[in-house]
Amino acid sequence: MQTALPATSMFLIIGLFILVRRIRSMYKPTKGRGTRIILPLLFLTPGFSFFLNASGNVTYLQLSIAIFLGVGFSIPLILWSDYELRNDGLIYAKKSPAFIITFSIMIALRYFFRQHISTIEPATLNMLIFLLVICYLIPWRIACYIKYKNVLKLKNTVSL
């Protein structure tokens, strides 16, 4: 159990760091053409080694549950993540307490799953949690990118 404590601490620190960054981004304009919204998806590529070195035994039921939960987590994030054009002519992420609450619940649920599912071997559990993360991050980031592009298009038509 001693080895789980540093990993748990790192997980919670990283989750808190991501949450703080998202909260701070509500006060700073989103610059450029929106590529910074999609960029975190590139950071997932090293994690695909879980699937290439499949040492865990994953069943189709486990895969489908992880995909279902991941897509289910992405839906509230997509609904409550939005962008707005403010009076200064810049595009900001909308302030949404619902987003902060949803993201906090997701971090807590992922922590709970990791700590309380002991019937699955660790390699399989890591693979399933990574799949869950992929299944909520990819749709959420793509939807954010599309929403940002729509606001950017609106900004360009208003400024013309």
Side-chain angles (χ1 to χ4, degrees):
M1 191 67 173
Q2 274 184 328
T3 58
L5 188 59
T8 301
S9 301
M10 285 302 297
F11 169 74
L12 292 175
I13 289 170
I14 290 170
L16 184 63
F17 175 72
I18 291 170
L19 186 60
V20 167
R21 283 217 34 158
R22 287 294 298 173
I23 292 170
R24 285 181 52 197
S25 73
M26 293 177 189
Y27 297 99
K28 294 181 180 181
T30 306
K31 298 176 183 172
R33 295 182 9 206
T35 53
R36 294 177 95 189
I37 297 170
I38 298 290
L39 196 60
L41 297 180
L42 292 175
F43 302 139
L44 292 173
T45 53
F48 284 109
S49 64
F50 280 132
F51 296 106
L52 298 176
N53 302 327
S55 60
N57 300 322
V58 181
T59 65
Y60 287 113
L61 178 63
Q62 292 170 334
L63 280 174
S64 57
I65 289 172
I67 291 169
F68 178 76
L69 285 174
V71 171
F73 284 162
S74 73
I75 292 170
L77 288 174
I78 290 169
L79 292 174
W80 290 313
S81 296
D82 213 355
Y83 295 91
E84 63 185 350
L85 184 60
R86 294 198 186 152
N87 293 336
D88 60 1
L90 300 174
I91 300 173
Y92 293 81
K94 275 191 179 176
K95 297 176 185 176
S96 173
F99 171 80
I100 295 166
I101 292 167
T102 303
F103 197 81
S104 300
I105 289 171
M106 285 177 35
I107 290 173
L109 283 174
R110 284 180 52 199
Y111 173 75
F112 176 80
F113 289 151
R114 186 172 290 279
Q115 296 300 317
H116 290 60
I117 299 178
S118 60
T119 59
I120 300 175
E121 60 189 51
T124 304
L125 185 60
N126 286 337
M127 191 178 349
L128 290 172
I129 287 178
F130 182 72
L131 181 64
L132 183 137
V133 169
I134 287 172
C135 289
Y136 80 76
L137 258 179
I138 291 175
W140 172 47
R141 288 294 181 159
I142 290 172
C144 283
Y145 180 74
I146 291 169
K147 288 179 177 186
Y148 178 80
K149 283 300 214 180
N150 289 339
V151 173
L152 186 63
K153 194 182 306 181
L154 177 70
K155 176 187 173 185
N156 291 336
T157 58
V158 168
S159 65
L160 292 178

